[in-house]
Every structure is written in C-alpha cells, then in structure tokens.
Amino acid sequence: GAVRGALRALCLAALLGALRAGGVELTLELPDSAQRCFHQELESGTKFTLDYQVISGGHYDVDCYVEDPNGKTIYQETKKQYDSFSHHTEVKGVYTFCFGNEFSTFSHKIVYFDFQVGDEPPILPDMNNRVTALTQLESACVTIHEMLNAVIDSQTHYRLREAQDRSRAEELNGRVSYWSVGETLILFVVSIGQVMLLKSFFTEKRPSSGGAGT
C-alpha cells in the first residue's frame, strides 16, 4: 500500500510537471500587410524556444524575426510555413519576436506559436545531484514523464494538422460552391440564348409594305 501510494504521488508529480511545462501558446490572426510583435523580458543565460506554424491563409507562409534588447537580429526568416528557433540569451532585457504578413496584399493568416522559456525543472528534487542509480520506481516515473511530454507534443502537432486540413477543406469547399454557382449561371444563360435563337428561326417575317405605283 505504501509503495503504491508513493508511486501514485510520483506519477501525479510527473503529470503535473508535464502540464506545467506548456509555456505560452497563442493563435493569432495576422491581417494582410500587417505585423504583430510580442515582447518578453528575460535574464541573461536563459534558454528560450520559439515554435510557430501558419495554419491557414494564402500560401501558408509568414515572415518572422527575433531581436535582442540591443536591437540585434538573432533570427530572421521570410515566407516560412513553420520553423523552430532556440537561443541562450547573452544580455538581460526585453526580447522581441515579430510575425509579418507585409508581403501579402489580401490574404489573412492564422499563426500558431509556442514560446518556451527556461529548461524544464527536474521531476525529482535531487535529480541533477544524484550519485546513485535511480530506483525502479523512480525510473518508471521518469519514463512516464517523458511519455507524457511526447503525448503533449503529439497532441499539439495533430491539433495543428487538423486545423490546417480543416481550413484547406473549407477553402476547397468554398471554391467548389462558387464553381457550381458559376456553372449554374452559365447553363442558365446558355439555355436562354438557345431558346431565343430557336425562336428567331421560327418567327415569320412580315413582308415589307409599299409597292410601286402605277
């Protein structure tokens, strides 16, 4: 009973640790010819990771760049559908990362990004300072924790793929609907034209009046 209780406590800690390590996840709408920027104050020597992906709009591409507090560009990509960037800060201050859709004149974009700051804390308090091997119970909890992190990453990936596929399906459905309406209008116009043309063939022409006088 005591072993099971300890196992449940450690597994619960692994689950909570995995959930706490989610960071900041946002989905934003990026209008055409627009740019959205975000700011985060970080300490020196801090690791951060930026993952982003365009879910819908245009050719599913966006510009992205990251600047340090001194205005130095430490990351810059143009017309990317998705990417991941990790960096260890060298100076303390406010870091800025921006998404740009300035190259597009009519396409709105939906962009998802995940901003992680710092390394994930160890699941066990003395994990980094241990000199002995992990017990079977501790090893099982560490394995569960890693599997939970993998599940969270997979769920995020599949949610993005599902949103992207749904957007494409809705776009395709709209195009099919417009094409069907266009075909209907064309058939309607052609039918009226044919009726009027056939009617003109069978319309009796009246003889012109006014013969020569005698």
Side-chain angles (χ1 to χ4, degrees):
V3 175
R4 289 183 179 179
L7 179 61
R8 289 176 181 176
L10 285 175
C11 292
L12 179 60
L15 175 60
L16 294 177
L19 295 178
R20 283 197 300 268
V24 178
E25 300 181 49
L26 288 176
T27 302
L28 62 98
E29 181 179 359
L30 193 60
D32 53 281
S33 303
Q35 179 176 274
R36 294 279 180 87
C37 294
F38 300 86
H39 310 276
Q40 178 68 43
E41 184 174 2
L42 300 174
E43 298 291 334
S44 176
T46 302
K47 177 186 176 181
F48 70 85
T49 302
L50 174 64
D51 299 314
Y52 65 91
Q53 179 174 340
V54 181
I55 299 176
S56 66
H59 296 287
Y60 299 88
D61 52 359
V62 71
D63 295 341
C64 180
Y65 69 88
V66 181
E67 290 184 351
D68 65 7
N70 298 326
K72 177 183 176 182
T73 301
I74 57 179
Y75 170 83
Q76 184 173 12
E77 289 290 344
T78 58
K79 296 184 178 181
K80 294 281 290 187
Q81 180 179 352
Y82 59 89
D83 202 4
S84 178
F85 172 68
S86 297
H87 181 72
H88 283 84
T89 60
E90 298 178 356
V91 295
K92 176 183 178 181
V94 178
Y95 285 75
T96 303
F97 58 98
C98 300
F99 300 100
N101 192 31
E102 298 170 319
F103 58 88
S104 179
T105 56
F106 58 88
S107 296
H108 284 54
K109 308 288 177 64
I110 303 296
V111 181
Y112 162 87
F113 74 88
D114 181 11
F115 187 73
Q116 300 277 350
V117 178
D119 295 320
E120 183 181 354
I123 181 176
L124 301 176
D126 57 346
M127 189 79 172
N128 297 330
N129 301 323
R130 293 192 60 132
V131 294
T132 59
L134 296 176
T135 64
Q136 184 177 2
L137 181 62
E138 292 171 341
S139 299
C141 290
V142 171
T143 302
I144 293 174
H145 179 71
E146 293 175 350
M147 293 176 64
L148 287 172
N149 284 331
V151 169
I152 292 174
D153 293 339
S154 298
Q155 287 179 337
T156 300
H157 172 73
Y158 287 123
R159 281 199 305 268
L160 293 177
R161 288 293 300 273
E162 187 273 334
Q164 192 175 53
D165 293 341
R166 183 176 66 251
S167 176
R168 289 180 176 176
E170 291 176 352
E171 182 181 358
L172 181 60
N173 180 64
R175 291 183 179 181
V176 171
S177 300
Y178 289 137
W179 180 259
S180 300
V181 172
E183 283 187 332
T184 302
L185 292 177
I186 292 174
L187 289 175
F188 184 72
V189 172
V190 170
S191 299
I192 294 178
Q194 288 179 342
V195 170
M196 294 181 65
L197 183 62
L198 290 175
K199 185 177 180 181
S200 67
F201 289 160
F202 294 99
T203 300
E204 183 180 358
K205 294 183 179 180
R206 295 181 181 180
S208 58
S209 59
T214 56

